[in-house]
Amino acid sequence: MAASHTLWMGLVLLGVLGVLQTRAQAQPSLQPNFQQDKFLGRWFTSGLASNSSWFREKKKVLSMCTSVVAPTADGGFNLTSTFLRKDQCETRTLLLQPAGPPGCYSYTSPHWGMVHEVSVVETDYEEYALLYTHAESTKGLGGQDFRMATLYSRVQSPRPEVKEKFSTFAKAQGFTEDAIVFLPQTDKCMEEHN
């Protein structure tokens, strides 16, 4: 009896350690030698993947938006995004504050009031950037952690290789094919904002 109890406890412990190890591996690494000055400027939000119910409900009506990244005095960013909502252009600015090593930032969601961590996982600065956003669960999200992968592109039509890179990245973060969307282009709200 004691041997089977010990075996059972050992299996439970291995399971817990396996889950902890899997969760730790799920956090993507940061862009090596991230250069904030090269990341500044205009980007198009070309691809998204998320586990949020809001995203699943709205993903078919989302369209590409522009985001302008500008530096702040504390080493962070102002991220100003302009997007189409109910046939009108809306602009929102988030303050991304440094939250660790270069390429890691955080902001507080104006809607949920929770802190989101944003990581620049990979970028070549001239063509694309892969970002990963994570926030711990709150009651407002039904106890589920918020996760999102984002593809930023310097052009409205990213190359197929860039789209494939994003799909591979999103799947590596645990997103399924149906949770990945490439946002359709629109002529509305695409003018440059500084």
Side-chain angles (χ1 to χ4, degrees):
M1 176 76 171
S4 66
H5 180 71
T6 303
L7 177 61
W8 176 249
M9 288 305 294
L11 290 173
V12 168
L13 183 59
L14 282 174
V16 169
L17 290 174
V19 167
L20 291 175
Q21 184 177 13
T22 301
R23 291 196 82 188
Q25 289 174 346
Q27 293 294 331
S29 58
L30 293 171
Q31 168 71 33
N33 303 312
F34 179 70
Q35 298 174 41
Q36 180 170 316
D37 60 321
K38 289 185 175 184
F39 191 71
L40 303 175
R42 183 180 184 189
W43 293 94
F44 294 97
T45 303
S46 301
L48 293 172
S50 180
N51 67 332
S52 79
S53 57
W54 174 91
F55 177 78
R56 287 191 299 274
E57 292 167 8
K58 304 286 185 186
K59 71 179 185 177
K60 291 184 178 170
V61 298
L62 295 174
S63 59
M64 187 177 290
C65 71
T66 59
S67 295
V68 176
V69 180
T72 60
D74 67 355
F77 293 135
N78 274 324
L79 178 67
T80 303
S81 297
T82 303
F83 53 93
L84 186 63
R85 182 175 182 205
K86 296 182 180 176
D87 223 20
Q88 296 200 14
C89 296
E90 259 188 55
T91 299
R92 297 226 174 107
T93 299
L94 292 174
L95 173 60
L96 277 65
Q97 299 174 317
C104 186
Y105 301 89
S106 69
Y107 72 93
T108 302
S109 166
H111 184 72
W112 296 106
M114 55 197 238
V115 176
H116 290 69
E117 289 190 11
V118 180
S119 302
V120 180
V121 176
E122 184 179 329
T123 184
D124 66 357
Y125 304 101
E126 295 176 7
E127 185 177 15
Y128 74 94
L130 305 177
L131 281 71
Y132 180 76
T133 304
H134 176 261
E136 296 294 321
S137 66
T138 66
K139 292 179 183 175
L141 294 176
Q144 182 181 30
D145 286 359
F146 171 83
R147 299 181 306 113
M148 179 174 275
T150 305
L151 169 61
Y152 277 174
S153 176
R154 293 287 190 185
V155 296
Q156 289 189 43
S157 301
R159 293 182 305 117
E161 296 85 0
V162 171
K163 288 181 167 184
E164 183 58 37
K165 184 181 286 278
F166 175 69
S167 290
T168 301
F169 165 67
K171 289 174 186 172
Q173 306 319 309
F175 296 110
T176 57
E177 190 76 41
D178 66 329
I180 301 169
V181 63
F182 290 99
L183 302 172
Q185 293 179 35
T186 178
D187 292 333
K188 296 181 181 179
C189 310
M190 291 290 125
E191 64 274 358
E192 190 157 349
H193 295 275
N194 289 321

